[in-house]
Amino acid sequence: MNQSEYIKLLKLVRTSIEEYKNWGEDELVLDNSMLSKKAKQEPIKEEKIAVKATESKITKQENIQMKTTEKKEPTVKQTKQTKNAEQKLEDLKKQIAECKKCNLGKYRLNAVCGSGDPYANIMFVGEGPGFQEDHEGKPFIGRAGDLLTKIIEAMGYKRETVYIANIVKCHPMKNPENPELKGNDRPPTPEEMQTCQPYLDEQIKIISPKVIITLGASSTRALLKTDDVISNLRGKFSQYMGIPLMPTYHPAALLRNPKLKRDVWHDMQKVMVLVNKKG
Ligand code: SF4
Ligand code: URA
C-alpha cells in the first residue's frame, strides 16, 4: 500500500469510528487479514470494516461486513406477486383517507397511511402520527423522524428504500378539539390500535417485507399481543404474519435518553444480518 492509499484508509477508519461512536458503539475491529489480501487488489473505497458487536448476541461469524463508503442500495425485489403493490397501496390509502372506524378519524387533519418503497425489504412500524405528521400527512417527519432517517442511513439504506408506517393512521390527541395545539400527542389506546390494525396487516401483505421493525412499546405490544415492557421485548426476533419482527426503542425515546441508541444499533445489526442472509 502506498502512502496516499494509507492516508485514505486512515481517514476512512476515522469516519467509521465517528459514525459508530454516534451509535454508542465503543469497539471497532479492522480485519487485518482481509485488508492485507484485498488492499493490493481493490481500490480503498472497497475496503470493508468488520464491526464487532461485543455486547449484542451476534456471534463472531455474524459480524456485519459493512462498506463504509458507497454503501450499495439493496436491490429492489419485484416479484410477480408484488408487481402491482403501488396500485394496491394507493387503493388502501384512499380507503384510509375516508375511514371513520374509530374516534381518531373525527379529529385528524390528515390520515397518514405510510411512505416508502412498496417493494421494501424492511418495514418500520411506529405508534401513530404526531402534530407534524397530522399536518403534512406523512409519517415520521418531526424530530423523531429525523432520527429514524439517521438510523436507516446508518444501516446502509435510504428512507425511500424502506417502508415506514404506523400502528394507527390518525393522530391520537389528548385534546382532540385542538389539533393546532403542540404537545397534544398521546399514545393510541389498545382499542384504537385494534380497530386500525387491519390496515397495517393489509400493508404488510402487499409489501411482504423480509423483516418488520416495531418502534416502541405501542406497536410492539399490539402486534405481539403482550403487555411486557419494551426493554424486555427489544432485541429479540418474533414473528408476525410469518415475517420476522424485531422490536426496538422508539426514536422519541432515544431523543429523551440517548444512551438507548447503543441498544437500537445492536438490534439493527441483527436485522441487517437477517436481511443479508435472506439475500
Ligand atoms: Fe380509521 Fe385507523 Fe384512522 Fe381509526 S385511526 S379512523 S381506524 S384509519
Ligand atoms: N411517531 C410515530 O410513532 N410515528 C410517526 O409517524 C411520528 C412520530
Side-chain angles (χ1 to χ4, degrees):
M1 198 184 309
N2 68 31
Q3 199 186 10
S4 85
E5 280 177 328
Y6 198 70
I7 288 166
K8 270 192 210 163
L9 181 61
L10 285 178
K11 278 186 186 159
L12 192 141
V13 171
R14 201 174 75 179
T15 315
S16 308
I17 290 171
E18 278 161 8
E19 187 178 337
Y20 294 119
K21 247 173 73 184
N22 271 337
W23 292 102
E25 200 59 80
D26 59 10
E27 189 166 0
L28 185 109
V29 176
L30 208 54
D31 188 328
N32 275 331
S33 59
M34 187 169 67
L35 280 178
S36 53
K37 267 186 244 147
K38 295 207 169 175
K40 295 178 189 108
Q41 305 150 10
E42 289 177 14
I44 293 294
K45 65 175 193 278
E46 289 295 317
E47 294 297 354
K48 290 169 183 153
I49 304 288
V51 180
K52 194 178 174 192
T54 43
E55 286 185 15
S56 72
K57 297 195 179 65
I58 299 176
T59 60
K60 212 172 175 186
Q61 295 92 309
E62 285 176 327
N63 275 349
I64 299 155
Q65 306 288 303
M66 281 187 69
K67 288 191 178 182
T68 53
T69 55
E70 297 186 8
K71 286 169 189 161
K72 256 197 196 143
E73 275 313 308
T75 45
V76 169
K77 79 178 147 67
Q78 268 172 318
T79 61
K80 234 181 189 174
Q81 174 206 356
T82 54
K83 225 172 183 172
N84 52 357
E86 292 98 335
Q87 193 50 55
K88 286 184 184 167
L89 285 178
E90 272 309 305
D91 294 346
L92 189 66
K93 196 174 169 180
K94 283 180 201 146
Q95 223 181 305
I96 291 170
E98 309 264 289
C99 181
K100 296 275 188 289
K101 275 201 295 175
C102 81
N103 270 341
L104 299 183
K106 277 194 206 158
Y107 302 101
R108 61 149 187 252
L109 300 176
N110 286 292
V112 182
C113 174
S115 73
D117 184 348
Y119 308 100
N121 286 331
I122 301 180
M123 182 165 176
F124 289 87
V125 182
E127 188 175 88
F131 175 90
Q132 232 173 312
E133 291 78 16
D134 191 21
H135 278 71
E136 295 187 37
K138 292 181 195 134
F140 280 100
I141 50 169
R143 274 182 75 221
D146 290 344
L147 187 51
L148 178 60
T149 305
K150 283 195 185 137
I151 295 171
I152 293 165
E153 287 173 357
M155 292 168 78
Y157 294 85
K158 283 187 182 148
R159 215 180 131 106
E160 317 81 75
T161 62
V162 301
Y163 197 87
I164 304 171
N166 282 306
I167 189 84
V168 296
K169 313 303 187 201
C170 306
H171 183 194
M173 286 175 257
K174 287 183 210 154
N175 175 2
E177 305 292 341
N178 197 350
E180 294 304 330
L181 202 69
K182 285 206 176 179
N184 194 12
D185 303 345
R186 64 161 172 84
T189 64
E191 293 71 33
E192 288 159 353
M193 292 193 278
Q194 208 184 350
T195 312
C196 205
Q197 203 169 322
Y199 293 127
L200 179 72
D201 291 352
E202 191 56 28
Q203 286 175 305
I204 294 171
K205 222 167 100 190
I206 295 169
I207 296 160
S208 176
K210 285 182 184 170
V211 61
I212 297 167
I213 299 164
T214 48
L215 300 167
S218 296
S219 58
T220 304
R221 286 181 181 157
L223 296 193
L224 298 185
K225 295 202 174 11
T226 171
D227 288 331
D228 208 349
V229 290
I230 187 68
S231 52
N232 277 343
L233 297 166
R234 64 145 281 271
K236 292 172 235 162
F237 278 112
S238 296
Q239 292 248 326
Y240 185 69
M241 293 171 67
I243 297 167
L245 181 151
M246 171 60 77
T248 197
Y249 292 117
H250 194 285
L254 306 189
L255 292 172
R256 291 190 296 269
N257 181 5
K259 283 192 181 145
L260 299 178
K261 280 184 182 180
R262 183 190 172 91
D263 287 339
V264 171
W265 183 233
H266 285 169
D267 301 345
M268 295 307 98
Q269 283 182 307
K270 290 180 191 173
V271 166
M272 286 142 71
V273 168
L274 185 105
V275 172
N276 290 339
K277 261 193 199 155
K278 286 187 150 196

